[in-house]
Amino acid sequence: MRTELTDTTSSKIDRALLAARRAVGSPTMGLVLTLVVVTDEENAYDSVRAASEASREHPCRIIAVIKRTARGPQRPHRTRLDAELRVGTDAGSGEIVLLRLHGELTTQAASVVLPLLVPDAPVVAWWPADAPADPARDDLGRLAQRRITDSQAAPDPVGALALRAASYAPGDTDLAWTRLTVWRTLLAAAFEQNVSGVTGAAVESEDGNASAELLARWLERRLGVPVERVTTEGPVITRVRMDTAAGEVRVDRPAGALAALVLPGWPDRTVALKVRSSAELLAEELRWLGADEVYASALRAARPAQASLSA
């Protein structure tokens, strides 16, 4: 069921949500959190679709905040709030509220969103692109226990990591880090099968890949050795190697969803290592709403002399 409201208010939206739930025969919510998606019109469709797919694992109310700002010499938009509500089969496993803020209301997004949060449930804020310099101090970020950014969507992905490090607060995370979960798990397992000390390592990837930089920092942090950054044609991360006294430990993923794991004294193995969708990454982040200390450590590129891996 879809309902459109023009020039409305938060209280009217809340009443319309209740009426829509009753109309589809589901007056109770059963939602586990509120996911606030802060986006623009260009990215709204893909972002809301990814959030809707993630909601099948985590039933939630998705609130998409779309700020409509005037471009060019024309007069600014009149202050107005428009909304589109989706409940039932049109909303995955939860509810979707699209908020379009016009005029001065774009600077008051938190006051619009606050009355629409699911009562007594965690709040997660996600910026698919154009994240604020300090998410924890952003008006919408202040409402959230978990704040998700994506450095890879920035014009300078690796440079964006410096902003994330400077403003990090417990609860912050980044999809550039989430993309590394399978890589880190695989490398940690490979290290456990090789007892020799690591003397060096390298991460090979396309130019300007934020995930590759975070992976290199994580390896430096955990192994206490310098990690070389090697630029390739991609796509994304194509190879990681660790030099040990027994030989080279290597993960090769030149393309596709499969990678080759090479260990000294073992036959080469083929392992699954696909590039995951935004919906899959988002669903993973919604499973844990606490502080990610390993991410914080890698982001800050600390380098203690510690030769062990932990994913």
Side-chain angles (χ1 to χ4, degrees), residues 53-73:
E53 291 178 11
S55 75
R56 299 186 185 281
E57 181 178 336
H58 310 275
C60 60
R61 176 176 293 170
I62 300 166
I63 302 177
V65 179
I66 305 169
K67 299 180 180 181
R68 300 291 300 271
T69 56
R71 299 178 183 273

Side-chain angles (χ1 to χ4, degrees), residues 20-310:
R21 285 198 301 271
R22 288 173 173 167
V24 298
S26 179
T28 59
M29 289 187 291
L31 305 178
V32 299
L33 58 89
T34 302
L35 175 59
V36 180
V37 184
V38 189
T39 184
D40 54 20
E41 286 289 359
E42 180 181 357
N43 296 291
Y45 176 81
D46 289 337
S47 301
V48 171
R49 182 175 64 178
S52 180
E53 291 178 11
S55 75
R56 299 186 185 281
E57 181 178 336
H58 310 275
C60 60
R61 176 176 293 170
I62 300 166
I63 302 177
V65 179
I66 305 169
K67 299 180 180 181
R68 300 291 300 271
T69 56
R71 299 178 183 273
Q74 68 267 35
R75 297 175 61 184
H77 287 303
R78 180 173 64 89
T79 298
R80 190 176 81 246
L81 173 62
D82 298 331
E84 178 184 336
L85 316 181
R86 303 177 188 174
V87 178
T89 57
D90 288 323
S93 296
E95 302 170 346
I96 297 176
V97 181
L98 303 181
L99 301 176
R100 289 182 169 84
L101 283 61
H102 302 259
E104 294 183 2
L105 202 59
T106 59
T107 64
Q108 305 294 325
S111 62
V112 176
V113 169
L114 184 60
L116 302 176
L117 301 179
V118 176
D120 303 318
V123 179
V124 178
W126 175 36
W127 292 267
D130 300 322
D134 191 342
R137 292 181 180 272
D138 179 82
D139 285 347
L140 289 171
R142 292 176 189 272
L143 301 177
Q145 289 75 49
R146 189 73 159 170
R147 296 166 295 276
I148 305 171
T149 55
D150 190 354
S151 294
Q152 194 58 38
D156 178 8
V158 176
L161 295 178
L163 284 176
R164 302 281 77 83
S167 65
Y168 175 81
D172 289 356
T173 191
D174 197 283
L175 294 189
W177 176 251
T178 318
R179 294 183 181 98
L180 296 175
T181 299
V182 183
W183 277 99
R184 293 188 298 118
T185 301
L186 182 58
L187 290 169
F191 186 85
E192 292 299 323
Q193 298 182 51
N194 185 80
V195 296
S196 303
V198 177
T199 57
V203 175
E204 302 182 13
S205 75
E206 63 187 5
D207 187 37
N209 187 276
S211 294
E213 176 61 24
L214 282 173
L215 182 58
R217 294 183 189 185
W218 175 72
L219 287 169
E220 288 175 336
R221 167 69 175 85
R222 303 307 297 174
L223 298 173
V225 299
V227 176
E228 182 182 5
R229 281 76 158 167
V230 180
T231 300
T232 67
E233 294 183 358
V236 293
I237 301 172
T238 54
R239 174 182 292 177
V240 175
R241 63 172 174 81
M242 297 184 290
D243 301 320
T244 75
E248 187 177 72
V249 175
R250 189 173 74 249
V251 179
D252 284 317
R253 186 184 64 182
L258 298 178
L261 174 62
V262 179
L263 297 172
W266 293 77
D268 295 356
R269 310 178 202 176
T270 299
V271 294
L273 197 58
K274 72 171 185 176
V275 177
R276 295 186 293 165
S277 68
S278 296
E280 292 172 306
L281 299 173
L282 190 58
E284 178 185 325
E285 283 299 337
L286 295 180
R287 293 175 199 145
W288 169 249
L289 301 182
D292 189 338
E293 296 179 359
V294 181
Y295 163 66
S297 175
L299 192 62
R300 292 165 176 163
R303 296 187 183 185
Q306 180 177 342
S308 64
L309 286 178
S310 174

